[in-house]
Amino acid sequence: MNIEDVNPSPLGELVIRVVAMPSDTNPFGDISGGWLVTQMDTAAAIMAAKIVQGRATTMAVSEMSFVRPVKVGSVVCCYAKVTHIGRSSIKVNIEVWCRMPEKEERHKVTEAEFVYVAIDSDRRLRAIPKS
């Protein structure tokens, strides 16, 4: 099943919107998967920091598949949705959707779950404040 068939529109809050540039490509001219993962990790970090009310760090990333290449010039959008909050950890699902600037049609490229842990100024685990 194609991941685009499951949900026709993004789930979660738009956290990052950026244009993919030529400097973000792999040797074949498509946007690098590593660059996309960096955008996803940044989006998850923004959401995690808001929820944990401070410093958080990446603990784990789920498996992901890239279902289509991303072209230079694409508008890359990362959507974040918190799926679980534990004592010191938070799970954030990130979906990446892309479209060309001159088009309205967008396509889901990938998604993954990022696990973050709240840490203090000494980089030790701390509890997430209750809302």
Side-chain angles (χ1 to χ4, degrees), residues 53-80:
Q53 299 174 23
R55 195 173 190 165
T57 191
T58 312
M59 186 65 147
V61 180
S62 70
E63 179 179 309
M64 70 179 73
S65 296
F66 299 97
V67 297
R68 65 177 56 223
V70 176
K71 298 176 184 174
V72 170
S74 293
V75 178
V76 176
C77 299
C78 295
Y79 294 83

Side-chain angles (χ1 to χ4, degrees), residues 5 10-11 13 16 39 42-43 48 55 74 85 92 96 99-101 107 109-110 114 118 121:
D5 297 334
L11 297 176
E13 176 183 331
I16 291 178
Q39 303 313 307
T42 301
R55 195 173 190 165
S74 293
I85 300 173
V92 182
V96 178
R99 68 175 178 78
M100 292 307 289
H107 300 281
V109 175
T110 191
F114 287 72
S121 59

Side-chain angles (χ1 to χ4, degrees), residues 24-46:
D24 305 320
T25 61
N26 62 28
F28 303 105
D30 295 315
I31 297 304
S32 165
W35 181 84
L36 282 173
V37 172
T38 298
Q39 303 313 307
M40 296 169 76
D41 193 28
T42 301
I46 290 168

